[in-house]
């Protein structure tokens, strides 16, 4: 992911991977579902809305973290649930 607040691409030398999909997490506005959870947290407040991707493929939009792991809304859910199209240049 690329966090606006952290200002860095995350992942680094410690492998980052998705541990669960279609999970629920807490946000300032309540419980949010259809999230992908990672094995560790790599974001801070203010990173929400930033992209998650692998190489050039869009995987989702950053939604938050719980102090242990980060979570993001998956790109496929954005298209299906919200009628959005992920544009890749």
């Amino acid at each position: 992911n690329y966090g606006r607040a952290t200002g860095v691409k995350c992942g680094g030398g410690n492998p980052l991977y998705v541990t669960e999909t279609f999970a629920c997490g807490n946000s300032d506005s309540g419980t949010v579902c259809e999230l992908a959870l990672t094995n560790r947290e790599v974001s801070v407040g203010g990173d929400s809305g930033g992209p998650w991707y692998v190489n050039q493929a869009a995987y989702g939009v950053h939604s938050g973290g719980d102090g242990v792991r980060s979570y993001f809304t998956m790109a496929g859910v954005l298209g299906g649930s919200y009628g959005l199209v992920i544009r890749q240049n």
Side-chain angles (χ1 to χ4, degrees):
N1 80 313
Y2 176 84
R4 176 66 81 188
T6 53
V8 297
K9 267 178 30 175
C10 302
N14 188 2
L16 179 68
Y17 52 89
V18 172
T19 59
E20 191 174 344
T21 57
F22 297 99
C24 295
N26 296 318
S27 72
D28 292 339
S29 58
T31 301
V32 179
C33 294
E34 297 183 324
L35 299 172
L37 306 178
T38 64
N39 61 311
R40 59 191 172 90
E41 188 166 38
V42 292
S43 54
V44 298
D47 284 345
S48 295
W52 280 81
Y53 55 89
V54 173
N55 298 320
Q56 300 297 320
Y59 272 67
V61 176
H62 184 69
S63 300
D66 61 9
V68 177
R69 56 196 171 189
S70 291
Y71 37 87
F72 61 93
T73 303
M74 297 173 289
V77 171
L78 292 172
S81 297
Y82 302 103
L84 302 175
V85 175
I86 302 295
R87 182 176 169 201
Q88 298 185 53
N89 294 330

